[in-house]
Amino acid sequence: MTEFSGAKVAILQAGQVLTLLRDNRADIPFPNRWDLPGGGREGAETPVECIMRETLEELSVPLCPAYLVWRRCYAGVLAGQGQTWFFVAIPPRAALSSIRLGAEGQSWRWQRASHYAGFDRAVPHLRVRLREYLDQMQGCP
């Protein structure tokens, strides 16, 4: 497997995407922007293990590989960042019943996926990646 530095996931439910508002601190990338769950790789994690850990830490959402419906690897957008993975997950409603904000971020909310894909307060490269997925799905029968 090619080395990667982290992973993000768009968790979808009924046309909505689960988002979190990043902390408003100058020492982090994209402060005070609406983000998707995920983050940096720890140890020898696989991309799937990375998003499973991150979604549990950030939002208390238990993901499992069976929920993943789409995945793609991209070049990193930050200086010195290796490849990053972007996933789309559609978990059952029961897995989303006890969402709680973890130690990072200001708040969380559901947003229309199509809105997030064009939202100027979203993390720019993530809205583009979500738009790619949504556009591809519109072309499917």
Side-chain angles (χ1 to χ4, degrees):
M1 175 183 296
T2 304
E3 287 299 312
F4 75 100
S5 59
K8 291 286 186 171
V9 60
I11 299 172
L12 301 180
Q13 192 67 218
Q16 306 260 327
V17 63
L18 183 57
T19 64
L20 16 89
L21 183 59
R22 292 179 63 80
D23 289 320
N24 193 11
R25 299 184 356 227
D27 64 327
I28 63 171
F30 312 107
N32 208 38
R33 295 255 187 164
W34 286 96
D35 199 359
L36 299 175
R41 178 186 199 185
E42 291 186 2
E45 285 179 321
T46 66
V48 172
E49 290 168 340
C50 181
I51 60 161
M52 289 171 55
R53 176 186 50 77
E54 287 281 351
T55 55
L56 203 53
E57 289 175 1
E58 293 175 349
L59 295 167
S60 299
V61 172
L63 282 187
C64 73
Y67 305 159
L68 302 175
V69 298
W70 197 76
R71 65 186 74 201
R72 186 159 290 164
C73 187
Y74 293 88
V77 297
L78 303 174
Q81 185 180 44
Q83 293 181 329
T84 60
W85 281 87
F86 181 75
F87 294 88
V88 175
I90 304 177
R93 288 186 193 271
L96 303 169
S97 63
S98 59
I99 298 171
R100 285 188 321 275
L101 190 63
E104 298 176 358
Q106 300 177 63
S107 63
W108 67 270
R109 76 176 184 201
W110 288 100
Q111 296 186 44
R112 276 188 345 272
S114 59
H115 171 76
Y116 184 86
F119 188 33
D120 63 353
R121 289 202 51 222
V123 173
H125 63 282
L126 296 178
R127 70 181 183 214
V128 170
R129 292 173 187 180
L130 181 57
R131 170 57 53 208
E132 287 178 15
Y133 168 77
L134 294 173
D135 288 349
Q136 181 177 328
M137 291 303 101
Q138 285 180 348
C140 292

